[in-house]
Amino acid sequence: MSIEECLHGFIPETTVVQCFNAGAVLFHNGSRTVGPYEIVTGAVRLSRIDASGKEVVLHIARPGDHLAEASIFSSVYHCDATAIKKSTVRLYPKAALLSEFERNPDFAKSYAAMLARELMTTRARVQRLGMHSARERVRHYLALTAAKDGHVEVAGTIKDLAAELSLTHEALYRTLTQMERDGEISRSGRTITLRDTRALQ
Amino acid sequence: MSIEECLHGFIPETTVVQCFNAGAVLFHNGSRTVGPYEIVTGAVRLSRIDASGKEVVLHIARPGDHLAEASIFSSVYHCDATAIKKSTVRLYPKAALLSEFERNPDFAKSYAAMLARELMTTRARVQRLGMHSARERVRHYLALTAAKDGHVEVAGTIKDLAAELSLTHEALYRTLTQMERDGEISRSGRTITLRDTRALQ
DNA sequence: CGAGTGATTGACTTAGATCAATGACCGTGG
DNA sequence: CCACGGTCATTGATCTAAGTCAATCACTCG
C-alpha cells in the first residue's frame, strides 16, 4: 500500500541507514535530492517556511512512514526535514531507484502505482480539508478509513488525529463526544465505530 | 508540467474524443476504469458522495485539465464525473497507456514524474488548507504561484480562486482588500502582485 | 514520586460563514 | 440594438462554529 511494498525486495542492498539526533536536519528546501527516506525509529518533521517567514508543519513522519517519494524525479527537495527526536532512517538512493526504474518495468509499474495511490489519498485529504465543519471532516475520515464493520482503529493519539484533520484537539474531542451522544458513533479506547449503515455503502 | 506533456506525442492516435451533454455522467464511483480524460471544451464536476449521503465537490475540471491520471493503475474510479455543461473530452485508453508504459521506459518515467509533480502540488494544497486563517492561505497561494517578479495572473474568476482556497468568495474579497490596504499586495484586473520581498525568497 | 503529556471539559472570543443587497458586465434573443 | 436574465465583484450586518485560554484528571516514565 505504501512505497514500502514496492521498495522492499528490490534493492535492499543499496539502502543506507542513518542516524540523526533531535534537531538534526535530513535535508532542507532547495537542497539536492539524494532520494526518499523511510523512518525506522524516532520522528521527523516536514516543514516549509511560508511567505511571511513562519514555519508551517506539513507532516510529522513516524516509524514506517516514507518521505519524499517524489524526490527521485526532482533535483531538489521542496521542504525541510528535521528529526524531532533521535531517529534512525533508511535512505533509498535516488540513482539506484532510477536505474532500477529504467531496467525493471515491474518495479517502474509498482512505483508509479504507489505514487498514484498516494495521490488519491492526498486528494481525499484535500477533499476532507475543504469541508467547513468539524463533524463533516470526522465523518469523511471515518467513512474512508473504516473497515466493512465500521470499526476504525485510531493510529496514534487523538491529538495526532486532530492534526491530521486540521482541527484543534479540543474541537475534535467535543465533536467526537457530540457524535457519540447523537448515536452516530461509539467509542472504546482507540477504536471508533461508525453506526450509520449508509456510510459503509 | 501536466499529464499533457507526457501524453502528447506518445499515443495520439489511440485517444478517443467524446461529447457529453450537461448532466451526463462520464463515470461514477466504483465503475471500471477506461482511462484518464482531458477536457477539451466545457466543464466536468468531480464529486463524491460522503458518509451522510451528501455530495461533495472535489474539483471542477476545465478545458486543458486532466482527470483520473491515476486510473491506469486502478480498476475502478474513485469519484463521480459529471459534465456540468455540454463538453467534449478526450479519453486516453488505459490499455494503450499501460502497454506504452511497459514498452517505453521514457514514457514510464515521464508519466511517473507527472504523478510525482501532481502529488507535490496536491501536498502543497493540503498544507495550505491546514492554515486556519484566510490571509495565510492567500499568502501561501500567492507565494507558491507568483513569478519571480511577484506577479500572479489569476486563472478563472475570483470565485474559483475562493473555491480553490476553500473560502467563501466574500471572505476572499475581504481578505484581498485588506491585504491591499496593508500594502502587502496590489491588484489590477486579473493580476495580483506580492509586495513582500521576502516572500519571493 | 514528580514531570511531562494526553484526554476532557468549561468559558470566552473571533474569524469566517451566511444572508442580503447593489452595481457592473455580458451574451442573447426578440 | 436594446432589454433582460445571469453571473461576478463588492460590501454590510449578523450569527455561529471553532479557535484560544484555562483547568482538571489520568497515565506513564525515568
Side-chain angles (χ1 to χ4, degrees):
Chain A
M1 196 213 217
S2 73
I3 194 179
E4 223 176 324
E5 294 166 14
C6 144
L7 290 177
H8 280 353
F10 275 106
I11 41 165
E13 67 281 1
T14 69
T15 66
V16 181
V17 174
Q18 298 172 327
C19 194
F20 292 90
N21 285 319
V25 172
L26 310 219
F27 54 80
H28 53 270
N29 196 346
S31 63
R32 294 220 145 272
T33 50
V34 289
Y37 291 86
E38 175 189 354
I39 313 297
V40 180
T41 67
V44 172
R45 181 185 56 230
L46 297 183
S47 60
R48 222 181 270 168
I49 308 299
D50 76 5
S52 63
K54 212 183 65 181
E55 179 175 45
V56 181
V57 175
L58 294 176
H59 186 58
I60 304 292
R62 304 188 170 283
D65 288 349
H66 292 255
L67 37 114
E69 306 93 323
S71 68
I72 77 170
F73 299 113
S74 106
S75 60
V76 295
Y77 289 107
H78 290 81
C79 60
D80 301 320
T82 314
I84 55 178
K85 53 174 80 166
K86 193 173 167 61
S87 306
T88 59
V89 300
R90 175 174 292 121
L91 169 67
Y92 292 85
K94 176 180 167 176
L97 284 179
L98 263 181
S99 68
E100 183 73 8
F101 190 96
E102 274 155 14
R103 177 164 312 125
N104 181 345
D106 281 343
F107 174 76
K109 207 163 140 186
S110 60
Y111 200 87
M114 179 274 295
L115 289 173
R117 264 193 311 273
E118 203 80 16
L119 181 57
M120 286 194 299
T121 67
T122 307
R123 288 224 175 107
R125 186 139 68 219
V126 168
Q127 173 188 16
R128 178 157 53 240
L129 295 184
M131 299 173 171
H132 290 305
S133 97
R135 193 149 182 166
E136 279 180 308
R137 286 191 207 169
V138 172
R139 228 182 247 143
H140 183 267
Y141 176 83
L142 293 176
L144 290 192
T145 310
K148 287 214 167 58
D149 57 3
H151 291 312
V152 176
E153 178 84 11
V154 177
T157 75
I158 297 285
K159 287 181 80 164
D160 291 336
L161 180 57
E164 158 75 32
L165 299 179
S166 191
L167 297 171
T168 58
H169 54 278
E170 298 97 318
L172 178 56
Y173 290 132
R174 285 189 250 269
T175 305
L176 287 175
T177 56
Q178 205 172 316
M179 288 174 81
E180 196 168 17
R181 249 203 298 283
D182 296 351
E184 194 171 345
I185 60 170
S186 59
R187 301 177 61 191
S188 86
R190 323 221 117 283
T191 305
I192 301 174
T193 306
L194 255 178
R195 313 195 70 65
D196 187 335
T197 55
R198 273 182 316 169
L200 309 169
Q201 44 176 325
Chain B
M1 197 215 217
S2 74
I3 193 177
E4 222 174 322
E5 294 167 15
C6 143
L7 290 177
H8 281 353
F10 276 108
I11 43 166
E13 68 280 2
T14 67
T15 67
V16 182
V17 173
Q18 298 173 328
C19 192
F20 292 90
N21 284 318
V25 172
L26 309 220
F27 55 78
H28 52 270
N29 195 347
S31 64
R32 294 218 145 274
T33 50
V34 290
Y37 291 86
E38 175 189 356
I39 312 298
V40 180
T41 69
V44 172
R45 181 186 55 232
L46 297 183
S47 60
R48 222 182 269 170
I49 308 299
D50 77 3
S52 63
K54 211 183 66 181
E55 180 176 45
V56 182
V57 176
L58 294 177
H59 187 58
I60 305 291
R62 305 188 170 284
D65 288 350
H66 292 257
L67 37 114
E69 307 95 323
S71 68
I72 78 169
F73 298 113
S74 105
S75 59
V76 296
Y77 289 108
H78 289 82
C79 62
D80 302 319
T82 312
I84 56 179
K85 53 174 78 166
K86 191 173 170 62
S87 305
T88 59
V89 299
R90 174 174 293 122
L91 169 66
Y92 293 84
K94 175 181 167 175
L97 284 180
L98 261 182
S99 68
E100 183 73 7
F101 191 95
E102 275 156 14
R103 176 162 313 123
N104 181 345
D106 281 342
F107 175 75
K109 209 163 138 185
S110 61
Y111 200 87
M114 179 273 295
L115 288 173
R117 263 193 311 271
E118 202 80 17
L119 181 56
M120 287 193 299
T121 68
T122 308
R123 289 228 174 103
R125 187 138 69 217
V126 167
Q127 173 187 17
R128 179 156 53 241
L129 295 184
M131 299 174 172
H132 290 305
S133 98
R135 194 148 181 170
E136 278 181 310
R137 286 191 206 169
V138 173
R139 228 181 249 146
H140 183 267
Y141 176 83
L142 294 176
L144 291 192
T145 309
K148 287 214 167 59
D149 57 2
H151 291 313
V152 176
E153 178 84 11
V154 177
T157 74
I158 297 285
K159 288 182 79 163
D160 291 336
L161 180 57
E164 158 74 30
L165 300 180
S166 191
L167 296 170
T168 58
H169 54 280
E170 297 98 319
L172 179 56
Y173 289 133
R174 284 190 250 269
T175 305
L176 287 176
T177 56
Q178 205 172 315
M179 288 173 81
E180 196 169 16
R181 249 202 298 282
D182 296 353
E184 195 170 343
I185 59 169
S186 59
R187 303 177 60 191
S188 85
R190 321 224 115 283
T191 304
I192 301 175
T193 305
L194 253 179
R195 312 195 73 64
D196 187 337
T197 55
R198 274 183 315 169
L200 309 169
Q201 44 178 330

